[in-house]
Amino acid sequence: QVQVGESGGGLVQAGEPLRLSCAVSGRTSSNYAMGWFRQAPGKEREFVAGISWSGEKTYYEDFAKGRFTISRDNGENTVYLQMNTLKPEDTAVYYCAAGETGVASWIMTTMGEYDYWGQGTQVTVSS
């Protein structure tokens, strides 16, 4: 079994940074593409950023480009989401997800591609 757990959420003021972490444990011998999604109150869950298993490729939703950076440390089985210049509209529960893949450079951008999900961490940005 695989467990995915997020941490690092909290309350920040607009313009401040925040870094989320996501630890993958369990059957970590498999190769996982990783992604971050978010869900604001009353809205559907949306893709934020994804990173390939090898870490060489990343992809961002438009609102995240230039402000957010996804990275990973495969030795620590951890993925990060560095969020800069946060805005009130970034307020949401942020979810980390892992998807098994045999392709080192593959990035997953849709929810259905991912196999394992964390419980989410709340990010609140005050104006």
Side-chain angles (χ1 to χ4, degrees), residues 12-54:
V12 297
Q13 292 189 337
E16 292 183 343
L18 195 64
R19 189 176 83 157
L20 305 181
S21 298
C22 172
V24 180
S25 60
R27 189 162 48 89
T28 56
S29 60
S30 297
N31 302 323
Y32 301 103
M34 301 294 297
W36 287 95
F37 290 75
R38 71 183 187 182
Q39 187 167 18
K43 296 187 177 181
E44 294 186 351
R45 193 172 299 188
E46 63 179 351
F47 175 77
V48 177
I51 188 167
S52 62
W53 156 51
S54 65

Side-chain angles (χ1 to χ4, degrees), residues 53 89 102 117:
W53 156 51
E89 50 264 43
W117 291 81

